Amino acid sequence: MTISSSLNAGVAGLNVNASRLATISDNIANSGTYGYKRAVADFHSMVINQGEGSYSAGGVRVTTHRMIDQRGTLITTDNPTDLAVGGRGMLPVTPETALDDPGGLPIMLSTTGSFRPNAEGVLKTETGLVLMGWPANTDGTVPVFPRDTFDGLEPIRLSTNQFAGDPTTEMTFSVNLPATYSDPSASGESLVTSAEYFDNMGTSESLEMTFTPTGTSNEWTLSIRDSAAGTTPIASYTLTFDNSRGNGGNLTSVATITGTDYIPATGTLPLTVSGETLNFNIGLLDSPGGFTQLSDTFARAPVVKNGSPVGNLTTVEVDTNGLVHAIYDSGFTRTIYQVPVVDVPNPNGLISLNNQAYQVSPESGSFFLWNAGEGPTGEMIGFSREESATDVAGELTQLIQTQRAYSSNAKVIQTVDEMLQETTNIKR
Protein backbone atom coordinates (compact mmCIF):
# COMPACT_ATOMS: atom_id res chain seq x y z
CA MET A 1 0.00 0.00 0.00
CA THR A 2 2.79 2.40 0.91
CA ILE A 3 4.75 1.73 -2.28
CA SER A 4 1.71 2.09 -4.52
CA SER A 5 0.72 5.34 -2.75
CA SER A 6 4.21 6.65 -3.49
CA LEU A 7 3.63 5.85 -7.15
CA ASN A 8 0.31 7.71 -7.09
CA ALA A 9 1.95 10.68 -5.38
CA GLY A 10 4.68 10.76 -8.01
CA VAL A 11 2.13 10.71 -10.81
CA ALA A 12 0.17 13.49 -9.09
CA GLY A 13 3.41 15.46 -8.80
CA LEU A 14 3.93 15.13 -12.55
CA ASN A 15 0.39 16.32 -13.23
CA VAL A 16 0.52 19.40 -10.99
CA ASN A 17 3.92 20.46 -12.28
CA ALA A 18 2.64 20.05 -15.82
CA SER A 19 -0.19 22.43 -14.89
CA ARG A 20 2.29 24.90 -13.40
CA LEU A 21 4.41 24.65 -16.54
CA ALA A 22 1.30 25.46 -18.60
CA THR A 23 0.65 28.64 -16.56
CA ILE A 24 4.30 29.67 -16.81
CA SER A 25 4.37 29.16 -20.57
CA ASP A 26 1.11 31.14 -20.90
CA ASN A 27 2.53 33.98 -18.82
CA ILE A 28 5.78 34.16 -20.76
CA ALA A 29 3.97 33.95 -24.10
CA ASN A 30 1.77 36.91 -23.05
CA SER A 31 4.53 39.03 -21.54
CA GLY A 32 3.95 41.56 -24.34
CA THR A 33 0.13 41.38 -24.29
CA TYR A 34 -1.49 44.61 -23.07
CA GLY A 35 -3.76 44.08 -20.08
CA TYR A 36 -2.75 40.44 -19.58
CA LYS A 37 -3.13 39.06 -16.04
CA ARG A 38 -0.85 36.34 -14.70
CA ALA A 39 -2.11 32.78 -14.39
CA VAL A 40 -1.03 31.13 -11.13
CA ALA A 41 -0.92 27.44 -10.16
CA ASP A 42 -1.21 26.73 -6.42
CA PHE A 43 -0.42 23.29 -4.96
CA HIS A 44 -2.42 21.73 -2.12
CA SER A 45 -1.44 18.63 -0.17
CA MET A 46 -3.75 15.64 0.30
CA VAL A 47 -3.71 13.35 3.35
CA ILE A 48 -5.15 9.78 3.39
CA ASN A 49 -4.93 6.77 5.74
CA GLN A 50 -2.45 8.38 8.10
CA GLY A 51 -2.31 6.20 11.20
CA GLU A 52 0.15 5.12 13.86
CA GLY A 53 2.94 3.00 12.46
CA SER A 54 1.97 3.49 8.79
CA TYR A 55 1.88 6.26 6.25
CA SER A 56 0.33 6.50 2.83
CA ALA A 57 1.23 9.30 0.47
CA GLY A 58 -1.82 11.37 -0.33
CA GLY A 59 -0.14 13.29 -3.12
CA VAL A 60 -0.92 16.79 -4.29
CA ARG A 61 -3.58 18.59 -6.24
CA VAL A 62 -3.46 21.89 -8.11
CA THR A 63 -5.78 24.87 -8.51
CA THR A 64 -5.22 27.54 -11.15
CA HIS A 65 -6.55 31.09 -11.26
CA ARG A 66 -5.71 34.52 -12.63
CA MET A 67 -4.43 37.40 -10.53
CA ILE A 68 -6.84 39.90 -12.08
CA ASP A 69 -6.34 42.44 -9.31
CA GLN A 70 -2.64 42.77 -10.18
CA ARG A 71 -1.86 45.81 -12.32
CA GLY A 72 0.67 46.23 -15.06
CA THR A 73 2.67 49.38 -15.73
CA LEU A 74 0.93 52.15 -17.66
CA ILE A 75 2.70 53.38 -20.79
CA THR A 76 2.01 56.44 -22.91
CA THR A 77 0.72 56.17 -26.49
CA ASP A 78 -0.22 58.63 -29.24
CA ASN A 79 -3.90 57.63 -29.52
CA PRO A 80 -6.29 59.71 -27.36
CA THR A 81 -8.71 56.79 -27.08
CA ASP A 82 -6.11 54.34 -25.80
CA LEU A 83 -7.58 53.94 -22.33
CA ALA A 84 -6.50 52.45 -19.02
CA VAL A 85 -7.71 52.73 -15.43
CA GLY A 86 -5.12 54.12 -13.04
CA GLY A 87 -6.13 51.90 -10.15
CA ARG A 88 -9.05 49.70 -9.23
CA GLY A 89 -11.90 49.19 -11.71
CA MET A 90 -12.48 48.16 -15.32
CA LEU A 91 -13.90 49.50 -18.57
CA PRO A 92 -17.30 48.24 -19.80
CA VAL A 93 -17.09 46.68 -23.28
CA THR A 94 -19.23 44.46 -25.49
CA PRO A 95 -18.33 42.21 -28.46
CA GLU A 96 -18.76 43.83 -31.86
CA THR A 97 -20.53 40.71 -33.10
CA ALA A 98 -23.40 41.43 -30.67
CA LEU A 99 -24.21 44.95 -31.95
CA ASP A 100 -26.91 43.67 -34.30
CA ASP A 101 -28.33 41.20 -31.80
CA PRO A 102 -31.89 42.23 -30.87
CA GLY A 103 -31.60 40.30 -27.63
CA GLY A 104 -29.40 42.94 -26.00
CA LEU A 105 -25.70 43.58 -25.55
CA PRO A 106 -23.67 41.38 -23.19
CA ILE A 107 -21.33 43.47 -21.04
CA MET A 108 -17.77 42.35 -20.50
CA LEU A 109 -14.96 44.09 -18.63
CA SER A 110 -11.43 45.07 -19.62
CA THR A 111 -8.70 46.96 -17.80
CA THR A 112 -7.32 48.60 -20.94
CA GLY A 113 -7.93 48.90 -24.65
CA SER A 114 -6.88 50.69 -27.83
CA PHE A 115 -10.20 51.98 -29.14
CA ARG A 116 -10.54 53.39 -32.65
CA PRO A 117 -13.65 54.15 -34.74
CA ASN A 118 -14.73 51.57 -37.31
CA ALA A 119 -16.59 52.33 -40.55
CA GLU A 120 -19.76 53.17 -38.58
CA GLY A 121 -17.87 55.34 -36.09
CA VAL A 122 -18.11 52.81 -33.24
CA LEU A 123 -15.10 52.85 -30.91
CA LYS A 124 -13.64 49.33 -30.84
CA THR A 125 -10.40 47.44 -30.43
CA GLU A 126 -8.76 45.31 -33.11
CA THR A 127 -10.10 42.24 -31.32
CA GLY A 128 -13.70 43.48 -31.58
CA LEU A 129 -14.34 44.86 -28.08
CA VAL A 130 -16.64 47.91 -28.28
CA LEU A 131 -16.38 50.64 -25.64
CA MET A 132 -19.63 51.35 -23.78
CA GLY A 133 -20.78 54.57 -22.13
CA TRP A 134 -23.72 56.70 -21.03
CA PRO A 135 -24.90 59.19 -23.69
CA ALA A 136 -24.85 62.88 -22.74
CA ASN A 137 -27.58 65.43 -23.39
CA THR A 138 -27.19 67.97 -26.20
CA ASP A 139 -26.00 70.56 -23.65
CA GLY A 140 -23.16 68.28 -22.55
CA THR A 141 -24.67 67.17 -19.23
CA VAL A 142 -24.91 63.48 -18.43
CA PRO A 143 -28.31 62.29 -17.15
CA VAL A 144 -28.61 60.24 -13.97
CA PHE A 145 -28.42 56.53 -14.78
CA PRO A 146 -28.80 53.54 -12.42
CA ARG A 147 -25.46 52.32 -11.14
CA ASP A 148 -26.34 48.67 -10.48
CA THR A 149 -27.35 47.75 -14.03
CA PHE A 150 -25.81 47.92 -17.50
CA ASP A 151 -29.11 48.91 -19.12
CA GLY A 152 -28.20 52.58 -19.63
CA LEU A 153 -24.94 51.84 -21.43
CA GLU A 154 -24.68 51.98 -25.21
CA PRO A 155 -21.84 51.65 -27.75
CA ILE A 156 -19.87 54.89 -28.11
CA ARG A 157 -20.41 56.02 -31.67
CA LEU A 158 -18.66 58.97 -33.31
CA SER A 159 -19.70 60.80 -36.44
CA THR A 160 -16.51 61.96 -38.11
CA ASN A 161 -18.40 64.20 -40.52
CA GLN A 162 -20.35 65.79 -37.69
CA PHE A 163 -20.80 69.58 -37.50
CA ALA A 164 -21.66 71.52 -34.36
CA GLY A 165 -21.97 75.10 -33.19
CA ASP A 166 -21.83 76.56 -29.69
CA PRO A 167 -24.09 79.57 -29.01
CA THR A 168 -22.79 82.48 -26.97
CA THR A 169 -24.48 82.70 -23.57
CA GLU A 170 -21.91 84.74 -21.60
CA MET A 171 -20.02 87.86 -22.60
CA THR A 172 -17.86 90.23 -20.56
CA PHE A 173 -17.35 93.67 -22.11
CA SER A 174 -15.00 96.34 -20.75
CA VAL A 175 -14.89 99.88 -22.12
CA ASN A 176 -13.65 103.25 -20.91
CA LEU A 177 -15.73 106.30 -21.83
CA PRO A 178 -13.93 109.68 -21.99
CA ALA A 179 -15.01 111.87 -19.06
CA THR A 180 -14.53 114.98 -21.19
CA TYR A 181 -17.35 113.91 -23.53
CA SER A 182 -19.96 113.94 -20.74
CA ASP A 183 -19.26 117.55 -19.79
CA PRO A 184 -22.37 119.67 -20.54
CA SER A 185 -20.24 122.05 -22.57
CA ALA A 186 -18.99 119.24 -24.84
CA SER A 187 -20.42 118.54 -28.26
CA GLY A 188 -22.28 115.41 -27.12
CA GLU A 189 -20.76 113.21 -29.80
CA SER A 190 -21.85 109.55 -29.73
CA LEU A 191 -19.31 106.71 -29.52
CA VAL A 192 -19.96 103.38 -31.22
CA THR A 193 -18.39 99.94 -30.77
CA SER A 194 -19.48 96.35 -31.36
CA ALA A 195 -18.88 92.77 -30.22
CA GLU A 196 -19.38 89.48 -32.07
CA TYR A 197 -21.51 86.63 -30.74
CA PHE A 198 -22.75 83.31 -32.14
CA ASP A 199 -26.43 82.43 -32.28
CA ASN A 200 -28.09 79.05 -31.83
CA MET A 201 -27.32 78.10 -35.44
CA GLY A 202 -23.64 78.96 -35.13
CA THR A 203 -24.08 82.12 -37.22
CA SER A 204 -21.85 85.08 -36.45
CA GLU A 205 -23.90 88.09 -35.28
CA SER A 206 -22.91 91.29 -33.50
CA LEU A 207 -24.08 93.61 -30.77
CA GLU A 208 -23.62 97.27 -31.66
CA MET A 209 -23.34 99.59 -28.65
CA THR A 210 -23.85 103.34 -28.95
CA PHE A 211 -22.81 105.55 -26.03
CA THR A 212 -24.34 109.06 -26.11
CA PRO A 213 -23.78 111.80 -23.47
CA THR A 214 -27.11 112.97 -22.01
CA GLY A 215 -25.92 116.55 -21.38
CA THR A 216 -25.70 115.88 -17.66
CA SER A 217 -22.26 115.48 -16.14
CA ASN A 218 -21.07 111.87 -15.87
CA GLU A 219 -24.22 110.47 -17.47
CA TRP A 220 -24.56 108.50 -20.70
CA THR A 221 -27.23 106.66 -22.65
CA LEU A 222 -26.35 103.17 -23.81
CA SER A 223 -28.28 101.82 -26.78
CA ILE A 224 -27.72 98.18 -27.81
CA ARG A 225 -28.65 96.94 -31.27
CA ASP A 226 -28.62 93.29 -32.37
CA SER A 227 -27.61 92.67 -36.00
CA ALA A 228 -30.02 89.73 -36.09
CA ALA A 229 -32.97 91.92 -35.01
CA GLY A 230 -32.68 94.79 -37.49
CA THR A 231 -32.10 98.47 -36.75
CA THR A 232 -34.35 98.78 -33.69
CA PRO A 233 -32.38 98.68 -30.40
CA ILE A 234 -33.12 95.67 -28.21
CA ALA A 235 -32.33 97.56 -24.98
CA SER A 236 -31.24 100.98 -23.75
CA TYR A 237 -29.99 102.22 -20.38
CA THR A 238 -28.89 105.36 -18.58
CA LEU A 239 -25.40 104.97 -17.15
CA THR A 240 -24.21 107.21 -14.32
CA PHE A 241 -20.56 107.37 -13.21
CA ASP A 242 -19.08 108.51 -9.90
CA ASN A 243 -16.83 111.57 -9.77
CA SER A 244 -15.88 111.45 -6.09
CA ARG A 245 -12.30 111.18 -4.86
CA GLY A 246 -11.10 107.58 -4.65
CA ASN A 247 -14.08 106.20 -6.55
CA GLY A 248 -14.10 108.47 -9.57
CA GLY A 249 -14.80 106.88 -12.91
CA ASN A 250 -16.63 103.83 -11.54
CA LEU A 251 -20.14 102.95 -12.65
CA THR A 252 -22.56 104.01 -9.91
CA SER A 253 -26.01 103.25 -11.37
CA VAL A 254 -27.73 101.64 -14.37
CA ALA A 255 -31.31 102.73 -15.07
CA THR A 256 -33.42 100.79 -17.59
CA ILE A 257 -35.03 102.73 -20.43
CA THR A 258 -36.10 99.73 -22.48
CA GLY A 259 -35.30 96.05 -22.23
CA THR A 260 -34.40 93.87 -19.25
CA ASP A 261 -33.12 95.29 -15.98
CA TYR A 262 -29.51 95.38 -14.88
CA ILE A 263 -28.67 92.77 -12.18
CA PRO A 264 -26.45 94.47 -9.56
CA ALA A 265 -25.43 91.20 -7.86
CA THR A 266 -23.71 89.90 -11.01
CA GLY A 267 -23.12 93.10 -12.97
CA THR A 268 -24.94 91.72 -16.00
CA LEU A 269 -27.56 92.80 -18.50
CA PRO A 270 -29.67 89.73 -19.48
CA LEU A 271 -30.10 90.61 -23.14
CA THR A 272 -32.49 88.66 -25.38
CA VAL A 273 -30.77 87.77 -28.64
CA SER A 274 -32.03 85.22 -31.20
CA GLY A 275 -34.80 84.31 -28.77
CA GLU A 276 -32.36 83.31 -26.02
CA THR A 277 -30.70 85.07 -23.08
CA LEU A 278 -27.16 86.38 -23.36
CA ASN A 279 -25.70 87.50 -20.04
CA PHE A 280 -23.85 90.70 -20.97
CA ASN A 281 -21.46 91.58 -18.12
CA ILE A 282 -20.63 95.30 -17.78
CA GLY A 283 -19.16 95.16 -14.27
CA LEU A 284 -20.35 95.66 -10.70
CA LEU A 285 -21.43 99.03 -9.38
CA ASP A 286 -18.84 101.12 -7.54
CA SER A 287 -16.08 98.74 -8.60
CA PRO A 288 -13.26 99.15 -11.10
CA GLY A 289 -13.52 97.07 -14.24
CA GLY A 290 -16.27 96.68 -16.77
CA PHE A 291 -17.64 100.13 -17.76
CA THR A 292 -15.61 103.11 -16.56
CA GLN A 293 -15.40 106.83 -17.33
CA LEU A 294 -11.89 108.23 -17.06
CA SER A 295 -9.72 110.82 -18.76
CA ASP A 296 -10.34 111.73 -22.40
CA THR A 297 -9.77 108.39 -24.12
CA PHE A 298 -12.33 106.01 -25.56
CA ALA A 299 -10.86 102.50 -25.23
CA ARG A 300 -12.10 98.95 -24.96
CA ALA A 301 -10.53 95.73 -23.77
CA PRO A 302 -10.79 92.41 -25.66
CA VAL A 303 -14.20 90.77 -25.32
CA VAL A 304 -14.35 87.62 -23.21
CA LYS A 305 -17.15 85.29 -24.33
CA ASN A 306 -18.09 81.68 -24.78
CA GLY A 307 -19.49 80.10 -27.93
CA SER A 308 -17.97 79.31 -31.28
CA PRO A 309 -18.94 79.08 -34.96
CA VAL A 310 -19.86 75.84 -36.67
CA GLY A 311 -16.92 73.45 -36.78
CA ASN A 312 -15.90 69.97 -37.95
CA LEU A 313 -15.19 67.16 -35.51
CA THR A 314 -11.41 66.69 -35.39
CA THR A 315 -10.68 64.44 -32.43
CA VAL A 316 -12.11 62.81 -29.33
CA GLU A 317 -10.49 62.71 -25.90
CA VAL A 318 -11.42 61.11 -22.58
CA ASP A 319 -10.70 62.95 -19.33
CA THR A 320 -9.87 61.51 -15.91
CA ASN A 321 -13.57 61.41 -14.96
CA GLY A 322 -14.41 59.26 -17.98
CA LEU A 323 -16.12 62.08 -19.90
CA VAL A 324 -15.75 61.69 -23.66
CA HIS A 325 -15.19 65.11 -25.27
CA ALA A 326 -15.70 65.80 -28.98
CA ILE A 327 -13.29 68.54 -30.10
CA TYR A 328 -14.06 70.64 -33.20
CA ASP A 329 -11.72 72.67 -35.37
CA SER A 330 -13.51 75.86 -34.26
CA GLY A 331 -12.25 75.29 -30.71
CA PHE A 332 -15.63 74.11 -29.44
CA THR A 333 -15.61 71.12 -27.09
CA ARG A 334 -18.73 69.10 -26.28
CA THR A 335 -19.24 66.20 -23.86
CA ILE A 336 -20.93 63.36 -25.76
CA TYR A 337 -20.56 60.32 -23.45
CA GLN A 338 -19.38 59.26 -20.03
CA VAL A 339 -17.54 55.97 -19.58
CA PRO A 340 -18.12 54.58 -16.07
CA VAL A 341 -15.66 52.39 -14.20
CA VAL A 342 -17.01 48.99 -13.17
CA ASP A 343 -15.94 47.57 -9.81
CA VAL A 344 -16.66 44.26 -8.10
CA PRO A 345 -15.76 43.15 -4.55
CA ASN A 346 -13.60 40.24 -5.75
CA PRO A 347 -11.90 40.93 -9.10
CA ASN A 348 -10.11 37.56 -8.98
CA GLY A 349 -13.53 35.88 -9.06
CA LEU A 350 -14.30 37.24 -12.54
CA ILE A 351 -14.59 34.77 -15.39
CA SER A 352 -11.65 35.11 -17.79
CA LEU A 353 -12.47 35.35 -21.50
CA ASN A 354 -10.44 35.77 -24.68
CA ASN A 355 -8.71 39.05 -25.50
CA GLN A 356 -8.14 40.11 -21.86
CA ALA A 357 -11.87 40.43 -21.23
CA TYR A 358 -13.75 39.31 -18.12
CA GLN A 359 -17.29 38.59 -17.06
CA VAL A 360 -19.09 39.08 -13.75
CA SER A 361 -19.72 35.85 -11.83
CA PRO A 362 -21.22 34.86 -8.45
CA GLU A 363 -17.66 34.56 -7.10
CA SER A 364 -16.79 38.12 -8.13
CA GLY A 365 -19.79 39.63 -6.36
CA SER A 366 -22.22 42.31 -7.52
CA PHE A 367 -20.90 45.07 -9.74
CA PHE A 368 -21.31 48.84 -9.36
CA LEU A 369 -20.77 51.59 -11.93
CA TRP A 370 -18.66 54.44 -10.54
CA ASN A 371 -17.59 57.75 -11.97
CA ALA A 372 -13.89 57.34 -12.71
CA GLY A 373 -11.76 58.52 -9.81
CA GLU A 374 -14.60 58.29 -7.27
CA GLY A 375 -15.11 55.74 -4.53
CA PRO A 376 -12.54 52.92 -4.65
CA THR A 377 -11.87 53.29 -8.38
CA GLY A 378 -8.94 54.90 -10.15
CA GLU A 379 -8.99 57.70 -12.68
CA MET A 380 -9.41 57.03 -16.37
CA ILE A 381 -6.27 57.79 -18.33
CA GLY A 382 -6.26 58.51 -22.04
CA PHE A 383 -3.21 58.14 -24.30
CA SER A 384 -2.29 55.10 -22.15
CA ARG A 385 -2.19 51.31 -22.21
CA GLU A 386 -1.64 48.87 -19.37
CA GLU A 387 1.23 46.49 -19.95
CA SER A 388 1.19 42.79 -19.12
CA ALA A 389 1.45 41.96 -15.42
CA THR A 390 3.98 39.19 -16.21
CA ASP A 391 7.41 39.40 -14.61
CA VAL A 392 9.52 37.40 -17.07
CA ALA A 393 12.47 37.03 -14.69
CA GLY A 394 10.22 35.63 -12.00
CA GLU A 395 8.55 33.26 -14.45
CA LEU A 396 11.93 31.93 -15.61
CA THR A 397 12.88 31.26 -12.00
CA GLN A 398 9.66 29.32 -11.50
CA LEU A 399 10.34 27.50 -14.77
CA ILE A 400 13.63 26.16 -13.40
CA GLN A 401 11.98 25.15 -10.13
CA THR A 402 9.16 23.41 -11.99
CA GLN A 403 11.58 21.54 -14.23
CA ARG A 404 13.51 20.24 -11.22
CA ALA A 405 10.32 19.30 -9.37
CA TYR A 406 9.05 17.43 -12.43
CA SER A 407 12.36 15.56 -12.75
CA SER A 408 12.27 14.69 -9.06
CA ASN A 409 8.75 13.28 -9.31
CA ALA A 410 9.81 11.28 -12.34
CA LYS A 411 12.70 9.94 -10.25
CA VAL A 412 10.22 8.88 -7.56
CA ILE A 413 8.22 6.93 -10.14
CA GLN A 414 11.40 5.31 -11.43
CA THR A 415 12.44 4.34 -7.92
CA VAL A 416 9.01 2.88 -7.12
CA ASP A 417 9.20 0.88 -10.32
CA GLU A 418 12.60 -0.51 -9.33
CA MET A 419 11.34 -1.39 -5.84
CA LEU A 420 8.31 -3.16 -7.25
CA GLN A 421 10.65 -5.06 -9.56
CA GLU A 422 12.69 -6.17 -6.58
CA THR A 423 9.50 -7.32 -4.83
CA THR A 424 8.58 -9.33 -7.92
CA ASN A 425 12.06 -10.91 -7.97
CA ILE A 426 11.63 -12.13 -4.39
CA LYS A 427 8.71 -14.33 -5.50
CA ARG A 428 10.84 -15.89 -8.18
Side-chain angles (χ1 to χ4, degrees):
M1 182 65 181
T2 303
I3 293 179
S4 61
S5 69
S6 301
L7 179 63
N8 292 334
V11 172
L14 293 180
N15 288 332
V16 297
N17 280 285
S19 296
R20 172 177 280 183
L21 180 63
T23 62
I24 294 172
S25 61
D26 220 3
N27 294 338
I28 293 177
N30 286 278
S31 60
T33 302
Y34 290 112
Y36 177 79
K37 306 299 182 181
R38 290 178 56 242
V40 177
D42 290 332
F43 295 169
H44 312 278
S45 65
M46 301 176 65
V47 178
I48 58 173
N49 296 333
Q50 184 174 346
E52 185 176 352
S54 65
Y55 185 87
S56 295
V60 62
R61 64 184 180 89
V62 63
T63 58
T64 59
H65 60 280
R66 290 197 181 276
M67 303 300 293
I68 301 175
D69 59 349
Q70 289 187 355
R71 294 284 171 172
T73 304
L74 299 186
I75 62 169
T76 302
T77 68
D78 58 359
N79 177 26
T81 49
D82 281 356
L83 301 180
V85 179
R88 188 182 178 98
M90 293 188 174
L91 306 172
V93 294
T94 192
E96 185 181 19
T97 54
L99 293 183
D100 298 326
D101 186 356
L105 298 177
I107 300 296
M108 300 186 298
L109 310 178
S110 180
T111 58
T112 188
S114 179
F115 300 96
R116 299 176 186 272
N118 64 7
E120 288 76 36
V122 176
L123 281 182
K124 59 177 284 290
T125 65
E126 290 296 327
T127 56
L129 296 180
V130 175
L131 184 64
M132 304 289 284
W134 292 316
N137 296 322
T138 55
D139 61 356
T141 60
V142 180
V144 177
F145 288 94
R147 300 304 182 106
D148 57 353
T149 176
F150 294 129
D151 290 346
L153 296 175
E154 64 180 47
I156 294 181
R157 191 182 303 269
L158 310 178
S159 179
T160 54
N161 57 354
Q162 178 180 349
F163 297 89
D166 182 24
T168 301
T169 59
E170 306 280 345
M171 180 183 294
T172 298
F173 192 82
S174 299
V175 64
N176 180 70
L177 303 175
T180 54
Y181 277 47
S182 68
D183 190 286
S185 61
S187 62
E189 178 183 353
S190 296
L191 303 173
V192 181
T193 187
S194 63
E196 181 189 38
Y197 77 91
F198 301 101
D199 65 12
N200 294 342
M201 305 301 293
T203 303
S204 174
E205 301 288 355
S206 64
L207 293 176
E208 182 182 280
M209 288 149 281
T210 302
F211 299 89
T212 304
T214 63
T216 301
S217 295
N218 308 309
E219 188 176 272
W220 297 73
T221 297
L222 168 62
S223 177
I224 303 176
R225 186 180 67 84
D226 179 12
S227 64
T231 58
T232 302
I234 61 173
S236 57
Y237 304 89
T238 298
L239 310 178
T240 304
F241 294 89
D242 199 338
N243 65 348
S244 64
R245 182 179 295 273
N247 203 36
N250 292 339
L251 186 65
T252 189
S253 70
V254 179
T256 303
I257 301 174
T258 61
T260 54
D261 293 337
Y262 171 79
I263 303 176
T266 58
T268 58
L269 301 172
L271 304 177
T272 301
V273 296
S274 300
E276 301 292 341
T277 299
L278 189 158
N279 292 313
F280 189 72
N281 193 313
I282 63 173
L284 299 174
L285 299 179
D286 301 315
S287 298
F291 283 11
T292 58
Q293 179 196 252
L294 295 167
S295 187
D296 58 355
T297 303
F298 178 58
R300 51 170 286 186
V303 176
V304 178
K305 65 178 184 293
N306 62 3
S308 64
V310 173
N312 294 305
L313 179 66
T314 57
T315 187
V316 171
E317 293 185 3
V318 183
D319 67 14
T320 56
N321 296 318
L323 297 175
V324 182
H325 301 287
I327 302 174
Y328 298 83
D329 57 8
S330 61
F332 170 48
T333 300
R334 171 183 289 169
T335 300
I336 55 176
Y337 289 95
Q338 181 179 12
V339 180
V341 172
V342 186
D343 185 47
V344 294
N346 177 27
N348 291 335
L350 294 169
I351 299 173
S352 298
L353 305 173
N354 291 335
N355 304 318
Q356 302 83 255
Y358 307 93
Q359 200 169 48
V360 176
S361 72
E363 288 74 23
S364 68
S366 302
F367 64 87
F368 191 82
L369 306 180
W370 293 89
N371 294 335
E374 295 183 2
T377 62
E379 294 181 340
M380 195 166 298
I381 305 175
F383 294 96
S384 297
R385 298 287 303 275
E386 180 187 343
E387 289 189 308
S388 171
T390 298
D391 177 9
V392 176
E395 298 295 333
L396 291 175
T397 300
Q398 290 192 41
L399 180 62
I400 296 173
Q401 295 172 344
T402 302
Q403 182 182 14
R404 290 178 177 175
Y406 191 91
S407 299
S408 298
N409 280 280
K411 185 64 176 178
V412 169
I413 295 173
Q414 180 182 357
T415 301
V416 171
D417 179 62
E418 293 174 355
M419 293 176 66
L420 290 174
Q421 185 66 38
E422 289 294 333
T423 303
T424 303
N425 291 339
I426 292 174
K427 182 178 180 181
R428 293 177 183 173

